[in-house]
Amino acid sequence: MVQIEGVNKWYGDLHVLQDINLDIRKGEVVVVVGPSGSGKSTLCRCINRLETIQEGTIRIDGVPLPEEGKQLAKLRAEVGMVFQSFNLFAHKSIKDNVTLGPLKVLGKSKSEADDDAMRLLDRVGIGNQADKMPAQLSGGQQQRVAIARALAMHPKVMLFDEPTSALDPEMVNEVLDVITDLAREGMTMVVVTHEMGFARKVGDRVIFMADGAIVEEATPDEFFTNPQSDRAKDFLGKILNH
């Protein structure tokens, strides 16, 4: 579903992605972990071309990412993205946040977009909040709206860039539960996260990044019980012993 081949990216002299090669199969949940500054979020943002790459190719469902224009907008509609900071439109109701993309990009009728939005808001557990404004919702609820908004575009792939790191601890699970349900339903997903329990439970594969490179990839059990590299052992030692 996603093919990343020989991808390199620099910010000036800083080599933030170093020769990244990764294939993500349809229905697979790939969890990307690693220390801050390792390139996890940058990789995520390159998959739907929020960030450009200087070398390499990224394909979604066999189609290379276009440079810009209508083709890019079409392909980007097939890749849902959920950010750390919900990025909802503050002046629009919850339902209007979810219907905006389907109306403007997919050309759906208002009634069809509204029906779809209500179904998705019910699915993430906040259908009763549809007429409220984002500021009236908790962080966890806002993030669930952001997930519903991404799903409204019927994406082939969902990208989650640290979706719980801006949330209070008691709200983290309500968002992870929604992502877990999507995994069970077979959605292809790339999840950048610090939540190791979630990575272990939901991931089909764990990608460990450090200093802009993929250092290890393994099943969650293999990675958490028997990391191969010193870098991964050091990382896990720091976070699992607290």
Side-chain angles (χ1 to χ4, degrees):
M1 181 55 78
V2 182
Q3 291 171 295
I4 301 169
E5 289 174 11
V7 164
N8 284 278
K9 177 173 178 60
W10 288 264
Y11 291 126
D13 292 337
L14 190 62
H15 197 175
V16 288
L17 292 178
Q18 302 183 27
D19 204 31
I20 302 290
N21 293 285
L22 181 63
D23 283 347
I24 297 159
R25 297 183 295 278
K26 191 174 191 311
E28 188 178 24
V29 180
V30 172
V31 180
V32 185
V33 302
S36 294
S38 57
K40 309 183 299 292
S41 291
T42 304
L43 176 62
C44 207
R45 294 168 71 87
C46 287
I47 294 175
N48 73 346
R49 218 176 180 88
L50 283 175
E51 298 269 5
T52 55
I53 57 175
Q54 280 95 352
E55 289 178 0
T57 55
I58 298 175
R59 292 186 183 86
I60 308 288
D61 208 6
V63 180
L65 277 187
E67 290 294 321
E68 53 195 28
K70 277 199 171 143
Q71 287 306 105
L72 179 59
K74 179 176 178 297
L75 201 63
R76 202 177 265 160
E78 296 178 350
V79 183
M81 180 111 186
V82 177
F83 301 89
Q84 189 173 337
S85 53
F86 332 119
N87 290 9
L88 299 177
F89 292 107
H91 61 291
K92 291 187 177 293
S93 72
I94 296 311
K95 186 168 75 175
D96 288 348
N97 263 280
V98 178
T99 59
L100 188 65
L103 290 170
K104 299 272 190 212
V105 181
L106 301 182
K108 287 192 171 183
S109 68
K110 178 132 178 36
S111 64
E112 191 183 2
D114 281 351
D115 288 349
D116 211 20
M118 288 311 301
R119 179 181 62 78
L120 288 166
L121 288 170
D122 283 337
R123 179 175 169 186
V124 298
I126 44 174
N128 58 342
Q129 313 281 356
D131 296 325
K132 289 188 175 174
M133 304 302 276
Q136 294 174 280
L137 270 57
S138 71
Q141 289 172 323
Q142 289 188 57
Q143 193 58 297
R144 286 186 278 159
V145 175
I147 294 171
R149 178 178 63 179
L151 290 173
M153 301 299 288
H154 302 288
K156 293 178 176 176
V157 184
M158 284 282 281
L159 309 175
F160 293 89
D161 185 10
E162 300 194 12
T164 59
S165 60
L167 299 177
D168 292 334
E170 69 270 21
M171 294 175 188
V172 168
N173 283 340
E174 65 186 60
V175 172
L176 293 180
D177 286 347
V178 172
I179 302 173
T180 303
D181 287 344
L182 288 176
R184 286 197 192 107
E185 291 164 18
M187 173 64 78
T188 309
M189 295 195 279
V190 179
V191 186
V192 175
T193 186
H194 292 295
E195 299 291 335
M196 295 301 137
F198 168 80
R200 194 165 194 163
K201 184 173 80 173
V202 179
D204 295 308
R205 198 163 27 132
V206 173
I207 304 294
F208 174 70
M209 290 184 71
D211 305 317
I214 293 177
V215 179
E216 272 188 52
E217 54 181 290
T219 66
D221 269 358
E222 286 169 351
F223 178 72
F224 287 106
T225 57
N226 189 23
Q228 297 301 301
S229 64
D230 289 342
R231 198 77 180 76
K233 287 173 189 166
D234 179 55
F235 172 76
L236 288 171
K238 281 179 181 157
I239 57 167
L240 297 181
N241 293 337
H242 291 291

